[in-house]
Amino acid sequence: MIIHCQSAAMEKSLLFPLRFLLAMSLAVLCASSAHPAYDGELPAFGIAVSSAGDGDLVAVRREEYDGGRIIDISHYYREDMPAFESAEGIGQFLWLPKSMKNGSLANNSEMKMPAHTGTHVDAPGHVFQHYFEAGFDVDTLDLEVLNGPALLVDIPRDKNITAEVMESLHIPRGVRRVLFRTSNTDRKLMWKKEFDSSYVGFMKDGARWLVDNTDIKLVGVDYLSAAAFDDLIPSHLEFLENREIILVEALKLDDVKAGVYNVHCLPLRLRGAEGSPIRCILIKQ
Ligand SMILES: *[C@@H]1O[C@H](CO)[C@@H](O)[C@H](O)[C@H]1NC(C)=O
Ligand SMILES: *[C@@H]1O[C@H](CO)[C@@H](O)[C@H](O)[C@H]1NC(C)=O
Ligand SMILES: CC(=O)N[C@H]1CO[C@H](CO)[C@@H](O)[C@@H]1O
């Protein structure tokens, strides 16, 4: 145990103040001879862990906060989350190269995943080479568009989002952010490992209709792509050509009432990337 503690204290990768603090707390742990590591699975995999020491520690996981006022509409990342055109899910994306169990002063995970994984955002460079080259990456997206009043609407369950469907929704002018809930949510497609190309999304004419006839700048959808599989690129081109519309995909809209909310979405500042994981929440008005 003592050897273990000393090797941990020699960890070099941390800045001094943190190192000092951790060394202090480690000293306490060493003195009380409790092992700092947990004995369960990694919390990242959605499994509560119990401490090796006194009593059980149970991490609380929530989809809502403050009595339901704040709703998390992002999916947590998991290995069996669907990946575009794959039957295998996203697979392992998180590793623990430095772990307390192996004598490190702290656990330091590493992650690797495609930028368009899970709940994510598309930037104009996703489908336009000249925009990509000109730097229209996720760090250029307008946070004002990604944060503000939003409408959550239900789409007729028997159709993809065509011009006709868009027209039938009667979304008033002035509405700038809309989250489209479809049968993808009913079918729990984001909870199935295998990619399903029969998901509902925008057909080219639906995307065009939205651009021409509404003030919508934030388009949120409930599966991996805003565009229906059959119109994958044409719909993206319609949406992203004017560089005003932001697509947020694979939102978790289960059990949320249709209506008006404040949406808050924040992508990572990944310069050079045409996509990014994004955390989105709804706040009841
Ligand atoms: C600890 O180190 C051993 C030996 O290098 C390795 O096999 C094991 O996977 C490591 N465990 C963790 C949790 O990093
Ligand atoms: C939506 O379009 C996809 C192809 O992109 C198709 O497989 C699916 O059946 C369509 N869904 C509906 C409800 O029409
Ligand atoms: C806090 C935390 O993530 N602790 C982890 C540190 O690493 C060990 C493995 O060495 C895990 O079991 C813990 O869960």
Side-chain angles (χ1 to χ4, degrees), residues 36-43 49 96 98-102 106-107 109:
Y38 298 96
D39 54 11
E41 291 290 322
L42 273 179
V49 295
L96 194 61
K98 290 197 173 187
S99 75
M100 295 169 76
K101 272 190 184 158
N102 273 7
N107 292 311
S109 296

Side-chain angles (χ1 to χ4, degrees), residues 149-156 161-182 202 206-207 209-221 239 258-260:
L151 188 64
L152 168 58
V153 293
D154 276 297
I155 300 305
I161 311 176
T162 59
E164 193 195 341
V165 168
M166 273 308 298
E167 196 170 2
S168 75
L169 296 174
H170 300 294
I171 294 169
R173 281 279 182 177
V175 173
R176 299 179 63 237
R177 303 172 193 85
V178 178
L179 313 182
F180 295 87
R181 179 166 49 199
T182 73
F202 278 85
W209 198 95
L210 182 149
V211 172
D212 290 341
N213 300 287
T214 76
D215 294 322
I216 300 169
K217 300 297 176 230
L218 174 64
V219 174
V221 296
F239 280 135
V260 180

